[in-house]
Amino acid sequence: MKRIGLLTSGGDAPGMNAAIRAVVRTAIYYGMEVFGIERGYAGLINDQVIPMDMRSVSDIIHRGGTKLRTARCMEMLTKEGKDQAVATLKKHGIEGLVVIGGDGSFRGAKCLTEEYGIPTIGIPGTIDNDLEYTDFTLGFDTAVNTCIDAINKLRDTMNSHERISVVEVMGRHCGDIALYAGITSGAEIIVVPEIQFDIEDIVMRIDRSRANGKHSNIVVIAEGVMSAEEFTKKLQAVTQYSVRATNIGHIQRGGSPSMADRMLASQFGNKAVRLLKDGIGNRVVGIRKNEIIDMDIIEAVSMKKTFNYELYETLQMISL
Ligand code: ATP
């Protein structure tokens, strides 16, 4: 393979730029040409294609967001849209494609391989960590660190005023950001979509912690359950302590990627190009038990995300 394309799609995530850099530099190392496609599948359909060289990815390893920008593109779900996307690839002589995004983006890549025979490789770029086949997705670690930083600050003021802080974090239908941020920031309670919450039990745990000498509490709630505002109203109705709501919001999606995300990005990008170089497509890359792996796209997107109940129990045991 002599010429490959690269795009970022779906929600952005810290580490996407570092992955772009790794893809471009690895491809050049192997003597391949690389074309960046701007605005995800929308740019592929509208022929927004730019040549990438060694210097085009200088000074981005530490930057959040994505240099190629990203978009959601409904046209990609239609036959006309996909035909147009493939026409753009053919026009530029692009033989294989690296897609950095979440499961929706992977489904787009799968269509290009299955229906048009274009080899594609998916790199999991989403802060949600909602893909079962990989232990971690790109951006998750940085997003959790951003949540920890916010919770540290909230804890200061909650302690002074002896309040309860309800903190909403992202993750869509997945509770991983809440779970990891909750454990590592010392939150007393996490509320996630995977486990039905019991408000009386939460009040009991808070009361017990106060009886044990705590002056404040942190409740981390995943956006997939309900908003922090809504949960705060429910909790305030049944507790004697003052409750305040905070939504960390899109701050979680930005910022300089952590060491873990830069490392993952570098390894994922490198692996993706090595596969394409050997003519292997229809795969996604990931990390399992600290090892970089690749897997069939269809198999990967059809795996149902499981929740780490052991970590949840750990939090229950050590948070009070
Ligand atoms: P995130 O997890 O951050 O939201 P994502 O990749 O899952 O990322 P989606 O909005 O689901 O985000 O998908 C991104 C884009 O991928 C869509 O806008 C669309 O262009 C394309 N896509 C999604 N599903 C399909 C599909 N079944 N067939 C073809 N293209 C698809």
Side-chain angles (χ1 to χ4, degrees), residues 151-198:
I151 294 168
N152 288 344
K153 288 171 180 162
L154 284 167
R155 185 186 291 282
D156 290 343
T157 173
M158 293 301 140
N159 240 333
S160 307
H161 290 271
E162 305 185 315
R163 284 175 176 150
I164 301 169
S165 180
V166 174
V167 189
E168 180 184 333
V169 299
M170 285 184 163
R172 294 211 289 187
H173 305 297
C174 177
D176 275 20
I177 295 181
L179 176 65
Y180 282 70
I183 289 192
T184 55
S185 66
E188 286 79 23
I189 314 280
I190 65 158
V191 186
V192 291
E194 293 86 348
I195 297 174
Q196 180 75 39
F197 72 86
D198 174 351

Side-chain angles (χ1 to χ4, degrees), residues 9-11 41 72-73 76-77 101-105 107-108 111 126 172:
S9 167
Y41 291 115
R72 303 197 196 264
C73 169
M76 190 59 193
L77 303 175
D103 64 331
S105 305
R107 284 176 212 282
C111 288
T126 168
R172 294 211 289 187

Side-chain angles (χ1 to χ4, degrees), residues 219-280:
V219 179
V220 180
I221 183 163
E223 65 177 350
V225 179
M226 65 181 72
S227 70
E229 286 285 348
E230 213 181 328
F231 190 81
T232 294
K233 281 193 196 124
K234 282 189 195 298
L235 186 56
Q236 192 62 85
V238 287
T239 181
Q240 56 180 304
Y241 305 109
S242 164
V243 193
R244 290 288 187 276
T246 302
N247 180 5
I248 303 177
H250 280 87
I251 290 169
Q252 285 159 93
R253 293 260 288 267
S256 184
S258 63
M259 180 280 280
D261 278 330
R262 294 180 198 199
M263 183 62 84
L264 268 192
S266 302
Q267 292 177 292
F268 284 170
N270 183 261
K271 176 84 173 174
V273 177
R274 282 164 176 251
L275 290 168
L276 276 184
K277 168 184 79 69
D278 294 335
I280 299 168

Side-chain angles (χ1 to χ4, degrees), residues 3 144 319:
R3 198 175 270 193
V144 170
S319 66

Side-chain angles (χ1 to χ4, degrees), residues 4 10 22 30 32 36 49 56 66 77 82 88 121 157 159 162-163 201 211 214 242 244 257 271 281 299-300 317:
I4 64 168
Y30 285 118
M32 293 191 268
V49 178
S56 67
T66 159
L77 303 175
K82 285 183 269 190
T88 302
I121 304 288
T157 173
N159 240 333
E162 305 185 315
R163 284 175 176 150
D201 181 60
K214 280 207 173 185
S242 164
R244 290 288 187 276
K271 176 84 173 174
E299 202 183 324
M317 287 185 213

